């Protein structure tokens, strides 16, 4: 900022936002100065926006809350003022801060998200032809919708595809018209998605104010005021949290669930993101959990046709005082959950450890999971943001441990240095080494078995591939047909009354079940339980699938063995 007084006020505002429990006078003084100031660069405007959004989420007083709301409600005008000055606005496109009112996002969104955007916001989406590169794929796909296009596309160079599309769509918006044509194809949605996604079209969404990060809110009855210091990581015990009283949960109506999923898709899309559980979430089975301190979590699974073959899938969108602050993705088998937690950039000075601990508590309560795995990317593997933020130590100080012995040895060496050398900090080079393997948290006593230390679900899939190559000449239909018949016969299943989703679950799970050497010797109770597990994979919610797996010791043992070899 060229205005020294405004620049100082902005710096003071950023500093004061971390001072909870000491009054709001400094904050209000800084806001008073900034109310009269005009920003002349995008970077400063972004800093102001992110600080305001943080204060809206963690308000230190009712007065500051009202002031911040006023600023945010008129923020689109500040962006417009900056546009009028011909300032460089490229910083507004950064994925960490995109979604500010008055902006737009351009990405090669998936078919499912473009279809949703075209239906929900038809006047706000368009194709960005400057990014168009896949002429060959366009020429191969679009003759389904554009009669005689082959006469041009098959033999001519530099075909004016946009001109063809414009001529065909008439006055209908181009994205809307394209989605209408895909909808009419007599093929399954997955095949439509393959065709569309192969085009690699970049779609621009010029989102309205209500869908922007600036204004997007969920109505709340009461705002939690943070007039005391925030909860720090050192105050959190994951063991104690996982053993604390149950969290209040209720199931939403389908209409309520659909509204939540639409917010989830929007809050992801304005950040250039998509999440499987939000894109394909099941509106009929969205749960709401109250975590306390103004925090609500909405948990969703996916319908059977969009489920993973082996693992159960759950996603959660997290609101703080009505503002979306994070999402969580849990992918589980038996009692082990691969947990992906992403706190949006703006809120990383908030109560991160408390929030994460409460989410894990919720997952344990809902699904019975007790072992939580962290992917290397989350702690910094090929992720410099994770290295810079010290993500490894965030998880380590919560009780997670590296599963590779050499990384555990390095961790203990670093901990001794930290304890004995004041001011010591782990180097980025060492953090990259520490981030090269998974981390795991298990409740005290259970970690001694180290059952899940070497487990990766990919290993199960690779074993199936090797068996297919060895025994079925590399033929997927042959191994699927044989495995389904073998498991049906061995477990004495009567599948005539099973629905299509249950038969699909049988086909997928049979690939693994058929590799279990002693499955034919299972007791009748184990076989009955296995049949229930298969049907539960296609049931209303995958929570039952997990809980039944947790009871089947023979199946659990086989899965761990296959996944650890």
């Amino acid at each position: 900022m060229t205005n020294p007084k405004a620049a100082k006020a902005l710096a003071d505002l950023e500093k004061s936002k971390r001072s909870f429990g000491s009054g709001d006078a400094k904050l209000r003084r800084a806001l008073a100065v900034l109310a009269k100031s005009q920003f002349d660069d995008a970077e400063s405007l972004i800093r102001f926006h992110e600080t305001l959004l943080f204060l809206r989420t963690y308000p230190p007083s009712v007065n500051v809350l009202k002031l911040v709301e006023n600023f945010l409600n008129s923020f689109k005008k500040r962006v417009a003022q900056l546009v009028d000055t011909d300032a460089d606005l490229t910083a507004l496109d950064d994925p960490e801060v995109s979604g500010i009112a008055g902006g737009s996002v351009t990405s090669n969104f998936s078919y499912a998200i473009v279809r949703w955007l075209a239906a929900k916001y038809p006047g706000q989406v368009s194709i960005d032809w400057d990014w168009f590169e896949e002429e060959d794929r366009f020429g191969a796909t679009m003759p389904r919708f554009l009669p005689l296009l082959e006469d041009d596309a098959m033999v001519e160079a530099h075909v004016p595809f946009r001109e063809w599309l414009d001529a065909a769509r008439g006055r209908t918006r181009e994205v809307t018209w394209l989605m209408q044509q895909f909808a009419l194809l007599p093929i399954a949605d997955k095949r439509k998605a393959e065709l569309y996604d192969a085009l690699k079209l970049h779609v621009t969404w010029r989102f309205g104010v209500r869908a922007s990060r600036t204004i997007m809110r969920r109505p709340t009855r009461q705002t939690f005021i943070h007039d005391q210091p925030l909860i720090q990581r050192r105050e959190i015990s994951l063991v104690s949290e996982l053993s604390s009283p149950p969290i209040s949960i209720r199931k939403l109506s389908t209409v309520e669930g659909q509204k939540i999923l639409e917010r989830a898709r929007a809050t992801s899309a304005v950040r250039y993101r998509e999440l499987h559980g939000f894109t394909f979430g099941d509106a009929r089975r969205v749960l709401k959990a109250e975590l306390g301190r103004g925090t609500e979590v909405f948990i969703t699974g996916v319908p059977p046709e969009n489920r993973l073959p082996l693992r159960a899938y759950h996603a959660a969108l997290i609101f703080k005082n009505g503002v979306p602050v994070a999402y969580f993705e849990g992918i589980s088998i038996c009692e082990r959950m691969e947990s992906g937690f992403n706190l949006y950039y703006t809120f990383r000075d908030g109560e991160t450890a408390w929030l994460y601990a409460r989410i894990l508590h919720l997952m344990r309560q809902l699904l019975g999971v007790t072992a939580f795995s962290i992917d290397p990317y989350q702690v910094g593997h090929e992720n410099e943001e994770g290295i810079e933020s010290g993500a490894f130590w965030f998880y380590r100080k919560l009780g997670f441990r590296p599963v590779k012995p050499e990384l555990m040895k390095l961790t203990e060496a670093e901990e001794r240095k930290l304890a004995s050398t004041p001011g010591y900090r782990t180097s980025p080079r060492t953090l990259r080494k520490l981030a090269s393997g998974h981390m795991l948290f298990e409740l005290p006593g259970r970690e001694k078995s180290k059952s899940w230390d070497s487990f990766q679900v990919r290993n199960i899939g690779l074993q199936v591939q090797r068996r297919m190559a060895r025994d079925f000449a590399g033929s997927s239909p042959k191994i699927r047909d044989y495995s389904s018949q073998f498991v049906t016969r061995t477990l004495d299943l009567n599948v005539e009354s099973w629905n299509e989703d249950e038969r699909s679950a049988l086909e997928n799970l049979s690939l693994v079940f058929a590799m279990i050497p002693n499955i034919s010797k299972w007791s009748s109770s184990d076989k009955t339980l296995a049949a229930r597990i298969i049907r539960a994979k296609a049931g209303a919610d995958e929570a039952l699938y997990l809980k039944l797996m947790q009871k089947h010791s023979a199946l659990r043992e086989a899965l761990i063995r296959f996944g650890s070899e």
Side-chain angles (χ1 to χ4, degrees):
M1 296 182 71
T2 55
N3 182 335
K5 187 176 180 181
K8 182 179 183 304
L10 180 56
D12 288 344
L13 186 70
E14 290 176 314
K15 183 178 179 180
S16 298
K17 80 172 187 180
R18 301 180 180 89
S19 302
F20 289 87
S22 57
D24 63 4
K26 290 183 179 180
L27 280 171
R28 287 189 286 110
R29 282 198 297 271
L31 289 170
V33 172
L34 292 168
K36 304 172 184 176
S37 305
Q38 184 169 335
F39 289 77
D40 51 20
D41 66 280
E43 290 77 10
S44 296
L45 188 63
I46 290 168
R47 286 168 55 200
F48 185 39
H49 179 273
E50 302 311 294
T51 304
L52 288 173
L53 199 53
F54 181 87
L55 291 170
R56 171 59 184 79
T57 309
Y58 290 89
S61 69
V62 173
N63 288 333
V64 168
L65 175 65
K66 291 178 179 178
L67 288 171
V68 166
E69 284 279 22
N70 289 335
F71 275 111
L72 291 172
N73 287 338
S74 61
F75 209 85
K76 183 178 180 181
K77 294 180 181 178
R78 289 181 176 269
V79 175
Q81 289 171 351
L82 197 60
V83 170
D84 290 342
T85 67
D86 291 328
D88 182 1
L89 302 179
T90 54
L92 293 172
D93 297 328
D94 189 312
E96 293 286 14
V97 297
S98 63
I100 294 175
S104 65
V105 289
T106 299
S107 182
N108 58 333
F109 293 113
S110 71
Y111 170 71
I113 288 298
V114 174
R115 181 177 60 183
W116 173 73
L117 286 171
K120 182 74 175 176
Y121 307 102
Q124 298 177 5
V125 290
S126 59
I127 297 172
D128 188 334
W129 292 99
D130 291 338
W131 284 85
F132 179 63
E133 295 178 346
E134 298 293 328
E135 292 192 8
D136 290 342
R137 291 190 179 276
F138 202 86
T141 300
M142 294 304 288
R144 292 172 174 82
F145 315 132
L146 301 173
L148 302 184
L149 175 61
E150 298 102 321
D151 209 277
D152 204 351
M154 291 179 68
V155 294
E156 302 292 345
H158 310 298
V159 177
F161 289 112
R162 188 175 184 181
E163 185 177 340
W164 277 85
L165 181 59
D166 286 346
R169 68 183 177 85
R171 295 184 178 182
T172 305
R173 297 181 185 278
E174 57 188 9
V175 177
T176 300
W177 183 87
L178 191 57
M179 289 299 100
Q180 288 172 348
Q181 306 317 303
F182 271 95
L184 293 173
L185 288 176
I187 56 177
D189 278 353
K190 286 187 177 181
R191 179 61 182 144
K192 293 175 186 178
E194 290 171 0
L195 287 172
Y196 174 83
D197 293 345
L199 297 176
K200 296 183 180 179
L201 292 176
H202 282 69
V203 170
T204 295
W205 179 23
R206 300 187 182 282
F207 47 83
V209 173
R210 290 186 177 276
S212 71
R213 289 194 304 115
T214 310
I215 299 297
M216 185 184 291
R217 302 280 187 278
R218 194 187 121 71
T220 55
R221 288 177 294 179
Q222 188 175 358
T223 300
F224 185 89
I225 301 299
H226 287 269
D227 54 3
Q228 298 296 320
L230 300 185
I231 297 174
Q232 302 297 308
R233 183 180 58 194
R234 62 178 176 272
E235 301 175 62
I236 299 301
S237 165
L238 202 47
V239 173
S240 298
E241 177 59 48
L242 291 175
S243 304
S244 62
I247 294 168
S248 173
I249 300 171
R250 75 173 178 89
K251 184 176 178 293
L252 301 186
S253 69
T254 300
V255 172
E256 290 175 310
Q258 187 60 47
K259 288 180 180 178
I260 289 298
L261 288 173
E262 292 197 343
R263 280 199 177 96
R265 293 175 194 131
T267 198
S268 298
V270 297
R271 293 174 168 89
Y272 300 95
R273 301 182 187 189
E274 295 184 40
L275 198 71
H276 185 73
F278 298 162
T279 301
F280 300 106
D282 191 343
R284 299 167 299 175
R285 295 177 180 88
V286 177
L287 302 177
K288 175 186 176 183
E290 301 273 2
L291 301 190
R293 301 179 71 79
T295 306
E296 301 171 309
V297 179
F298 295 88
I299 310 99
T300 180
V302 292
E305 64 270 20
N306 296 117
R307 289 178 184 167
L308 305 179
L310 297 182
R311 293 175 291 176
Y313 181 95
H314 294 85
L317 182 63
I318 304 155
F319 291 81
K320 170 79 174 179
N321 283 329
V323 179
V325 296
Y327 66 83
F328 180 89
E329 193 173 44
I331 307 174
S332 312
I333 191 166
C334 297
E335 76 273 18
R336 178 187 186 270
M337 170 178 277
E338 296 171 36
S339 60
F341 177 65
N342 192 296
L343 188 77
Y344 298 136
Y345 170 81
T346 311
F347 311 106
R348 292 180 184 176
D349 288 326
E351 297 178 325
T352 308
W354 173 85
L355 180 57
Y356 182 60
R358 293 291 279 168
I359 294 294
L360 295 193
H361 175 164
L362 180 61
M363 293 298 131
R364 185 191 181 198
Q365 178 180 327
L366 286 172
L367 308 175
V369 290
T370 58
F372 300 95
S373 176
I374 302 295
D375 184 87
Y377 180 84
Q378 290 273 314
V379 292
H381 180 62
E382 297 182 351
N383 173 13
E384 282 305 302
E385 183 184 327
I387 298 300
E388 293 170 8
S389 67
F392 175 86
W393 288 117
F394 171 82
Y395 291 108
R396 176 59 181 161
K397 290 177 181 180
L398 284 174
F400 283 80
R401 61 179 175 85
V403 296
K404 291 183 177 179
E406 65 272 21
L407 296 184
M408 189 66 216
K409 184 177 179 180
L410 178 58
T411 299
E412 291 170 342
E414 284 296 300
E415 287 174 335
R416 287 192 293 272
K417 292 177 184 178
L418 288 165
S420 62
T421 309
Y424 177 80
R425 293 178 63 86
T426 303
S427 69
R429 181 182 178 184
T430 300
L431 285 173
R432 291 187 188 96
K433 291 180 181 178
L434 292 169
S436 63
H438 287 76
M439 299 185 78
L440 194 68
F441 177 90
E442 295 174 280
L443 289 173
R446 304 191 184 196
E447 79 278 4
K448 293 181 180 179
S449 70
K450 298 189 176 182
S451 300
W452 294 103
D453 280 22
S454 301
F455 179 88
Q456 289 190 51
V457 75
R458 181 179 295 123
N459 292 336
I460 299 177
L462 293 175
Q463 290 223 36
V464 171
Q465 310 313 306
R466 286 190 282 269
R467 181 170 183 255
M468 181 175 71
R470 182 183 65 245
D471 300 338
F472 299 93
S475 170
S476 176
K478 288 181 179 178
I479 191 175
R480 286 182 177 276
D481 185 58
Y482 172 84
S483 298
S484 294
Q485 290 187 31
F486 172 79
V487 171
T488 299
R489 183 174 63 253
T490 301
L491 298 182
D492 194 23
L493 303 176
N494 181 7
V495 299
E496 290 184 5
S497 63
W498 289 23
N499 61 39
E500 183 179 346
D501 293 326
E502 290 171 330
R503 290 171 185 265
S504 178
L506 170 63
E507 181 179 316
N508 287 324
L509 291 172
S510 290
L511 294 167
V512 180
F513 283 29
M515 296 194 303
I516 301 174
N518 62 345
I519 188 171
S520 61
K521 297 179 181 179
W522 280 0
S523 67
S524 59
S525 59
D526 273 350
K527 290 181 178 180
T528 299
L529 181 55
R532 291 183 64 198
I533 289 168
I534 294 169
R535 300 191 78 173
K537 188 69 173 81
D541 183 89
E542 291 184 287
L544 177 61
Y545 169 69
L546 286 176
K547 291 177 180 179
L548 291 175
M549 290 183 94
Q550 292 157 15
K551 295 179 180 180
H552 202 306
S553 58
L555 175 59
R556 174 185 177 276
E557 180 183 336
L559 290 170
I560 291 175
R561 184 172 68 254
F562 294 150
S564 301
E565 294 177 350

